[in-house]
């Protein structure tokens, strides 16, 4: 999964109608604006520390950052922008939208001592998972017929890579202060079951077909993420659904304001709100959790 996704993201921009999948920030500007409003509000209540920086994990095309930072800048945030991104193709797309950003391979090289406002949308789901069957790790074998799993049965998944990044976010927040908002699809409790999936051209595809040519993701185990991120005095909020979170932050008010300004967009805006918040769309499967240092307030939408 690690090797296939590395090749996949290194060689293409997979987002949007012409690609393999569409993410929330690519559906509507309102998604990034809600993230920006939540971060700007949290930063304001933390006393507007001038040293604070914006950090995003896996920023895709940079769309979320552009929409969030527009709101944050309008609220007085002047801090630097730091992107953790391994794909040269997507770094190129991000450069077009945020020319003043700095790029990093991991969180370890972002400037020291600065409080961070971190966002990760659909980042953790792309990180590799392991699968175990009866306590034995499932492997992928190369057979004369192609790639095949070496065993079948009831699957239990875990992800040391995700665990390590969640722990690093917690450690960084404990040391430098700040807040992280993580949005992804997944489940609230650690549970057995197979969630690995492949998507190509907006359709599910067989897992082992075309390695490196289709998007491999697995549900995020938010219980594991929350446990790992709770480093030192860091606090982790409750988990809320994306629909509940966006509604609490006021996506309906924002949609009405945009529709007032551009009545010809009213139908499109209503459809975007439905896609982002609807229970049978992204509203319930996608979930949001925040991690914050002890001195920083709980961000809006999690109370
Ligand atoms: N957040 C964006 C893109 C999601 S796709 C959006 O919501 O539209 C996943 C993103 O994570 C891509 O930018 C991909 O290149 C990046 N990514 C995947 N694995 C990564 C890794 N190990 N380190 C850094 N970035 C990674």
């Amino acid at each position: 999964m690690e090797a296939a996704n590395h090749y996949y993201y290194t060689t293409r921009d997979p987002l949007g109608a012409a690609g393999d999948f569409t993410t929330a920030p690519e559906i509507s500007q309102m998604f990034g604006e809600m993230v920006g409003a939540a971060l700007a509000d949290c930063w304001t209540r933390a006393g507007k520390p001038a040293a604070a920086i914006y950090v995003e994990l896996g920023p895709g095309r940079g769309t979320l950052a552009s929409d969030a930072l527009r709101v944050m800048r309008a609220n007085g945030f002047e801090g630097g922008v730091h992107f953790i991104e391994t794909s040269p193709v997507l770094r190129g797309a991000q450069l077009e939208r945020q020319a003043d950003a700095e790029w990093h391979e991991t969180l370890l090289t972002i400037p020291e001592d600065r409080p961070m406002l971190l966002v990760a949308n659909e980042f953790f789901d792309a990180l590799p998972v392991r699968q175990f069957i009866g306590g034995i790790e499932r492997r992928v074998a190369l057979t004369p017929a192609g790639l095949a799993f070496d065993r079948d049965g009831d699957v239990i998944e875990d992800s040391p890579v995700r665990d390590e990044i969640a722990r690093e976010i917690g450690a960084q927040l404990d040391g430098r202060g700040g807040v992280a908002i993580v949005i992804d699809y997944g489940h609230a409790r650690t549970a057995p079951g197979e969630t690995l999936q492949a998507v190509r051209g907006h359709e599910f595809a067989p897992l082992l077909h075309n390695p490196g040519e289709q998007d491999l993701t697995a549900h995020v185990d938010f219980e594991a993420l929350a446990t790992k991120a709770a480093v030192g005095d860091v606090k982790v909020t409750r988990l809320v659904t994306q629909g509940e979170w966006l509604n609490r932050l006021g996506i309906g008010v924002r949609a009405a304001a945009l529709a007032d300004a551009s009545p010809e967009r009213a139908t499109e805006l209503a459809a975007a709100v439905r896609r982002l918040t609807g229970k049978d769309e992204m509203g319930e499967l996608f979930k949001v959790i925040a991690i914050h240092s002890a001195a920083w307030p709980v961000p809006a939408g999690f109370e």
Side-chain angles (χ1 to χ4, degrees):
M1 185 177 180
E2 184 161 30
N5 271 358
H6 181 77
Y7 178 82
Y8 177 78
Y9 281 107
T10 304
T11 51
R12 78 207 67 208
D13 172 353
L15 295 158
D20 290 322
F21 60 96
T22 301
T23 55
E26 302 299 329
I27 292 171
S28 168
Q29 71 185 76
M30 293 182 285
F31 182 79
E33 288 171 346
M34 292 300 113
V35 171
L39 291 178
D41 167 66
C42 196
W43 173 75
T44 301
R45 286 189 284 131
K48 300 194 174 190
I53 53 175
Y54 176 90
V55 178
E56 190 173 338
L57 304 177
R61 289 181 175 164
T63 309
L64 193 167
S66 299
D67 294 330
L69 282 161
R70 190 173 58 249
V71 173
M72 294 165 73
R73 299 291 189 219
N75 284 280
F77 176 76
E78 293 178 352
V81 176
H82 296 269
F83 288 156
I84 317 300
E85 176 61 69
T86 43
S87 161
V89 179
L90 290 171
R91 279 190 182 197
Q94 293 154 20
L95 176 67
E96 280 178 29
R97 286 170 186 78
Q98 291 294 323
D100 55 352
E102 284 177 34
W103 282 265
H104 306 264
E105 297 282 317
T106 72
L107 275 175
L108 298 174
T109 56
I110 61 172
E112 281 173 26
D113 298 333
R114 295 172 171 276
M116 65 176 183
L117 301 158
L118 181 146
V119 192
N121 184 61
E122 288 209 48
F123 170 75
F124 278 92
D125 66 15
L127 299 175
V129 294
R130 304 187 298 192
Q131 296 189 329
F132 292 86
I133 294 171
I136 300 168
E137 187 169 5
R138 191 186 208 188
R139 301 277 179 178
V140 177
L142 184 55
T143 72
L147 297 180
F149 286 115
D150 70 347
R151 65 195 69 235
D152 286 310
D154 292 338
V155 169
I156 290 181
E157 289 175 351
D158 75 2
S159 174
V161 176
R162 292 176 182 175
D163 287 352
E164 173 49 25
I165 294 180
R167 191 204 59 75
E168 185 60 35
I169 291 173
Q172 292 275 348
L173 288 172
D174 198 38
R176 63 172 71 229
V179 60
I181 296 177
V182 176
I183 308 141
D184 223 310
Y185 79 114
H187 40 267
R189 295 278 164 255
T190 303
E194 172 163 24
T195 73
L196 184 61
Q197 65 179 41
V199 167
R200 192 178 195 190
H202 302 269
E203 304 274 352
F204 289 113
L207 280 177
L208 300 181
H209 283 197
N210 307 304
E213 303 293 342
Q214 49 191 27
D215 184 49
L216 295 179
T217 61
H219 281 217
V220 173
D221 175 351
F222 279 99
E223 183 179 355
L225 190 148
T227 305
K228 298 295 175 192
V231 176
D233 295 328
V234 156
K235 304 277 181 289
V236 182
T237 67
R238 74 186 183 96
L239 185 70
V240 298
T241 65
Q242 175 171 302
E244 182 184 1
W245 189 67
L246 291 174
N247 282 323
R248 283 167 164 235
L249 287 171
I251 194 170
V253 177
R254 182 61 182 143
L258 289 169
D260 270 354
S262 318
E264 74 286 357
R265 291 184 58 203
T267 312
E268 164 214 323
L269 289 160
V273 171
R274 262 199 311 281
R275 227 175 132 186
L276 292 171
T277 66
K279 283 197 187 340
D280 48 354
E281 308 238 11
M282 297 180 80
E284 202 150 275
L285 178 59
F286 281 77
K287 301 184 176 68
V288 193
I289 202 165
I291 306 147
H292 61 97
S293 59
W296 275 56
V298 181
F302 298 96
E303 302 84 349

